């Protein structure tokens, strides 16, 4: 996906990727689509975590 994804997130379906210094998106590794454009990494990570929780159920 991207250099921004770390090893512990490699098993997750939704991961955070940085587009620009203040622009992050949540990528779906299964469909290769991007969701939730955000301005901070923390908020993007929270969105990715929320999607991963929904996907796990």
């Amino acid at each position: 996906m991207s250099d921004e994804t770390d090893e512990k997130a490699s098993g997750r379906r939704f991961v955070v990727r940085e587009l620009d210094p203040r622009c992050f998106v949540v990528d779906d590794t299964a469909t290769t689509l991007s969701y939730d454009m955000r301005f901070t990494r923390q908020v993007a990570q929270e969105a990715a975590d929320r999607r991963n929780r929904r996907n796990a159920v």
Side-chain angles (χ1 to χ4, degrees):
M1 291 293 311
S2 168
D3 294 335
E4 298 302 315
T5 59
D6 55 24
E7 288 300 317
K8 67 180 180 179
S10 64
R12 296 180 176 207
R13 179 173 174 181
F14 297 97
V15 295
V16 176
R17 178 171 51 102
E18 182 176 13
L19 297 177
D20 289 324
R22 293 194 44 84
C23 183
F24 298 88
V25 294
V26 176
D27 285 336
D28 183 345
T29 59
T31 63
T32 66
L33 296 174
S34 296
Y35 302 96
D36 289 331
M37 186 174 288
R38 305 294 178 153
F39 294 109
T40 65
R41 185 179 231 326
Q42 178 181 358
V43 176
Q45 187 62 56
E46 289 170 1
D49 291 342
R50 190 170 46 251
R51 286 180 179 268
N52 281 317
R53 279 193 304 272
R54 274 189 268 159
N55 190 44
V57 173

